[in-house]
Amino acid sequence: METVLVTGGAGFIGSNLTEKLVDDGANVLVLDNFDPYYDLSLKRKNIAKCQEKSSDQVTVINGSTTDKTLISNVFDNHQIEVVYHQAAKAGVRPSVDNPVQYERNNVEGILNLLEESRKNDVQTFVHASSSSVYGIPHYLPYDEQHPNEPQSPYGITKLTSEHYCNLYNELYQLNTVNLRYFTVYGPRMRPNMAISNFVSRCVNGKPLVIYGDGKQTRDFTYIQDIVDANMRLLHQEGVGGETLNIGSSDNISIRELAEYVVSETDTDVDIIHEDARDGDSRHTHADISKAEQLIGYDPEYGIRQGVQEFINWYMDNQNWYEPLIATSS
C-alpha cells in the first residue's frame, strides 16, 4: 500500500481525491488546518465521507503547512511516497484585502512541504495551482505559454509556488508537477461558489446575484475530471517540472450559467446584478492539449452536463448545506 499525503484533504477537492485514493488502495494522510473560511461542519462531513470508505486507510492530522515542526514530524513518522498539495488560503477577492496572510499560508506552506519532500525522497509532488496565474487574457484559450499577469495576491502566491516547484525539480530532481485548475465545481463544493450558490438560491426561492454585467466567462471543470488528472500522476514518469492546464475546454458566461440553473431547477426567481468585484478575471478558457498529450487527460464533463450532475446531487443531498444558505455569488 502506498502512503500518500493530501494537504487540504478535508476540503472540496482534497476530500474527493482522498476518496479515490482510498478506493485504489492507498493509505492517505489528510493534513488540514480546518480554516473556517466556510462552515467547518462541511469539512467534517467531507472527512466522514472519506472514512466511510475505510477508516483504517485515512489518518487525519489537524495542522497547518506553515507549522514547520509539524511538517517535519509528519515526514519523519511516515514513509510518504506521493504528495498532493491541495491546501491553500482560498479566495481571490479576500486576498486583495489581506495579501500578507495569503503569502504566508500559500508560499511559506509549500516551501515547508518541498523541503521535507526532497529530504525524504518523495517520488512525486503535485501542486494544485490555478488559472488565476494568467490574469488578463492576451488571447484565448490560455495555453501554458501565455504570459502570467495575475490580478490578485492569491494569483501571485500560486505563481510563486509554481516557480518553487520548478526550482526544486531542477535543483534536487524532485518530481514536481503544477496543475492549473480552472474553476472546479461538483458535489460537496463550497457553498459560496457561483454554481452552488445559484442552485441553493433557486431551490430556496431567492434571487440570483451576479456581480458585474454577467458577460464574464468561465471554464468550469467538474470535480471528477480534476480527480482523474491527479490520479494520472500517481505513477506517471517523465512529467517532472511540467505545468499543465486542467480545464474542461468548454466555457460559459455567468449570465448564461444563471439562466441555465434557473431553467434546470424549474424555478421562477429573478436574476439581479450588482457591482463587479476586484481581483476577478474577466474571462478564462483552457487549452488542455498539453495535458492530453503528456498524461492522457480527457475531460468527461462539459459545463451543462456537469451542472445537471450537481443539481441532481444537490436535490438528493439538500441537508449537506443546510442550514447554510449562501448569500453571494
Side-chain angles (χ1 to χ4, degrees):
M1 275 187 164
E2 291 175 294
T3 298
V4 179
L5 172 63
V6 179
T7 70
F12 164 47
I13 299 174
S15 64
N16 276 279
L17 177 57
T18 295
E19 270 195 81
K20 178 60 176 171
L21 287 164
V22 169
D23 285 342
D24 283 14
N27 287 321
V28 184
L29 304 174
V30 170
L31 175 67
D32 203 293
N33 69 348
F34 292 87
D35 184 347
Y37 180 64
Y38 58 94
D39 195 289
L40 289 179
S41 67
L42 298 179
K43 291 189 174 185
R44 295 187 187 101
K45 289 180 182 179
N46 289 342
I47 287 296
K49 193 73 175 174
C50 294
Q51 291 178 323
E52 282 177 14
K53 297 279 184 175
S54 173
S55 59
D56 293 338
Q57 289 174 246
V58 181
T59 301
V60 179
I61 303 166
N62 190 337
S64 172
T65 58
T66 62
D67 186 337
K68 193 170 183 179
T69 300
L70 171 66
I71 298 302
S72 179
N73 288 338
V74 169
F75 280 84
D76 287 346
N77 294 328
H78 304 275
Q79 187 62 46
I80 296 169
E81 296 163 84
V82 178
V83 174
Y84 285 108
H85 181 41
Q86 308 294 314
K89 185 73 175 171
V92 169
R93 295 163 186 161
S95 76
V96 174
D97 298 324
N98 200 345
V100 174
Q101 187 177 28
Y102 278 75
E103 178 74 13
R104 180 171 184 269
N105 276 270
N106 296 355
V107 178
E108 183 180 328
I110 198 171
L111 269 173
N112 288 336
L113 291 165
L114 287 167
E115 272 292 284
E116 292 302 322
S117 294
R118 65 102 174 170
K119 290 176 184 176
N120 290 275
D121 298 319
V122 165
Q123 295 175 7
T124 301
F125 187 106
V126 182
H127 165 229
S129 188
S130 166
S131 61
S132 63
V133 303
Y134 290 119
I136 298 171
H138 292 238
Y139 55 85
L140 289 172
Y142 295 117
D143 59 27
E144 289 83 357
Q145 301 306 311
H146 186 283
N148 300 131
E149 300 169 343
Q151 301 297 297
S152 67
Y154 173 80
I156 290 173
T157 65
K158 284 299 186 180
L159 184 58
T160 302
S161 297
E162 285 188 9
H163 286 310
Y164 273 119
C165 286
N166 295 340
L167 181 65
Y168 272 70
N169 176 263
E170 183 176 341
L171 289 180
Y172 306 113
Q173 291 72 56
L174 176 61
N175 185 42
T176 62
V177 183
N178 297 303
L179 298 183
R180 288 177 178 165
Y181 297 160
F182 282 69
T183 316
V184 189
Y185 71 102
R188 308 206 307 262
M189 67 189 296
R190 296 202 314 261
N192 62 341
M193 300 296 285
I195 292 172
S196 53
N197 180 276
F198 287 170
V199 173
S200 174
R201 294 182 75 82
C202 280
V203 170
N204 289 280
K206 295 178 177 286
L208 276 58
V209 181
I210 293 176
Y211 294 96
D213 60 14
K215 295 180 181 178
Q216 60 268 44
T217 61
R218 291 289 179 272
D219 187 332
F220 289 96
T221 316
Y222 195 66
I223 183 60
Q224 294 309 318
D225 289 327
I226 293 289
V227 170
D228 174 67
N230 278 276
M231 293 300 296
R232 287 175 179 275
L233 293 167
L234 192 59
H235 301 112
Q236 184 85 25
E237 296 182 359
V239 291
E242 296 288 356
T243 297
L244 306 175
N245 286 338
I246 304 298
S248 70
S249 77
D250 188 12
N251 70 348
I252 191 172
S253 75
I254 300 302
R255 179 74 193 197
E256 287 178 286
L257 173 66
E259 291 171 350
Y260 183 72
V261 170
V262 171
S263 172
E264 292 303 303
T265 54
D266 194 24
T267 52
D268 183 18
V269 297
D270 293 330
I271 300 174
I272 61 177
H273 292 258
E274 295 188 359
D275 291 341
R277 293 182 169 183
D278 293 335
D280 281 342
S281 298
R282 180 70 176 168
H283 302 288
T284 67
H285 190 192
D287 179 339
I288 59 172
S289 55
K290 185 177 178 182
E292 289 173 338
Q293 178 183 358
L294 291 184
I295 64 172
Y297 174 64
D298 183 18
E300 181 179 348
Y301 295 87
I303 179 62
R304 287 167 179 81
Q305 179 189 359
V307 168
Q308 187 59 66
E309 291 284 335
F310 176 73
I311 291 172
N312 292 342
W313 176 86
Y314 185 94
M315 295 303 187
D316 291 338
N317 296 273
Q318 289 190 48
N319 63 341
W320 189 270
Y321 294 119
E322 298 303 334
L324 298 172
I325 303 297
T327 57
S328 63
S329 66

